[in-house]
Structure formats: C-alpha cells, structure tokens
Amino acid sequence: MVTGFFKVNFFISSSLVASIDEKELEAVILHEIAHVKYKHVRSTIIHQTIYLLAIVGVLYYAIISDYTSIYLVLIIILAFLLLMAISLKVTKKQEDEADLYVAKHGLGDALISALKKISFDDDEEDLVHGTI
C-alpha cells in the first residue's frame, strides 16, 4: 500500500513478507513503485476531493432549495452512485497500470503468485514500513 501526497511511504504486512519468496516480494514492491511512478496517490486524492465536493454541492443545493421532492432525492442517490462507479473505474485502471508495469519488468507471474497468497484478514498493525 502506498500513502502520502508529498512524502510517499509504502507499507507491506510482515505476514505477507514472511509468506512470499524473494521474487514475489520484488514484484509486490515493484507494483507499489509503479503507483508512485504514475502518481496514483495524488490523482486518487484529487479525484476523491472532487467527488466529495460534488456530493456536498448537491446536498447543499438540496438543503437551501425550497424545492424538495422525490426527484431531488433520486438525483442525490444517482449522483452518489455515479461518482462511486467512476471512483471504482479509476481505482481499477490504476491497479491495472501497476500490474502492467510489473509484467513489463518480467515479474508478472511472481506478482500473480504473491497475490494468490494475500490474506484479507491481516492485522494492520502487522505492517512493514518503508519510504520511497
């Protein structure tokens, strides 16, 4: 996982490090480096800010407007769903770009192997920290 707007950090759980081999670890780190190279963290923060402002704008309009109806509620719900769909598409595109970067460096199979070993129940406190 990569975090940070100005100073970029990456985190990999120590349990993941312990469960993968050296080539797989290299592939995972290269995947995270790709996120940095393509400025995915910055673009995600910018996109999420725009989405939040759009939702706040629609809600603000709903609050100050004398016009309240089921249509306004539907517009708010549809705007939220549309922005969520765009957000998911952007995230998928970023992950695909990072995966392709790893594959271009000849470590695609190692990344696939590492991803198969990832457990979604890892403790967040179990992280290895690094700075890029």
Side-chain angles (χ1 to χ4, degrees):
M1 173 175 55
V2 177
T3 64
F5 194 79
F6 295 109
K7 180 182 178 186
V8 177
N9 294 295
F10 69 96
F11 301 89
I12 300 171
S13 73
S14 57
S15 60
L16 175 62
V17 172
S19 69
I20 60 178
D21 65 32
E22 195 172 305
K23 206 66 154 168
E24 292 166 337
L25 179 59
E26 184 181 352
V28 169
I29 291 171
L30 193 59
H31 175 91
E32 299 308 325
I33 288 171
H35 285 303
V36 174
K37 176 182 167 70
Y38 295 124
K39 298 178 176 38
H40 289 162
V41 174
R42 288 182 187 172
S43 68
T44 297
I45 290 170
I46 291 167
H47 286 116
Q48 294 298 328
T49 301
I50 291 168
Y51 303 153
L52 178 63
L53 291 174
I55 292 294
V56 168
V58 171
L59 291 174
Y60 177 75
Y61 175 76
I63 291 169
I64 65 165
S65 173
D66 289 335
Y67 177 74
T68 56
S69 73
I70 189 67
Y71 297 114
L72 189 55
V73 172
L74 288 174
I75 289 170
I76 292 169
I77 292 170
L78 288 175
F80 179 76
L81 292 174
L82 176 65
L83 293 173
M84 288 302 298
I86 292 169
S87 178
L88 290 172
K89 184 145 180 88
V90 168
T91 299
K92 173 79 169 88
K93 180 179 181 264
Q94 290 175 344
E95 289 301 320
D96 289 347
E97 285 176 342
D99 292 346
L100 186 58
Y101 184 79
V102 174
K104 284 181 180 178
H105 284 83
L107 294 171
D109 289 337
L111 182 63
I112 291 168
S113 177
L115 290 172
K116 288 179 180 177
K117 296 178 182 179
I118 290 176
S119 171
F120 292 101
D121 60 356
D122 283 339
D123 291 332
E124 289 185 18
E125 296 175 5
D126 191 26
L127 296 175
V128 176
H129 174 260
T131 302
I132 298 177

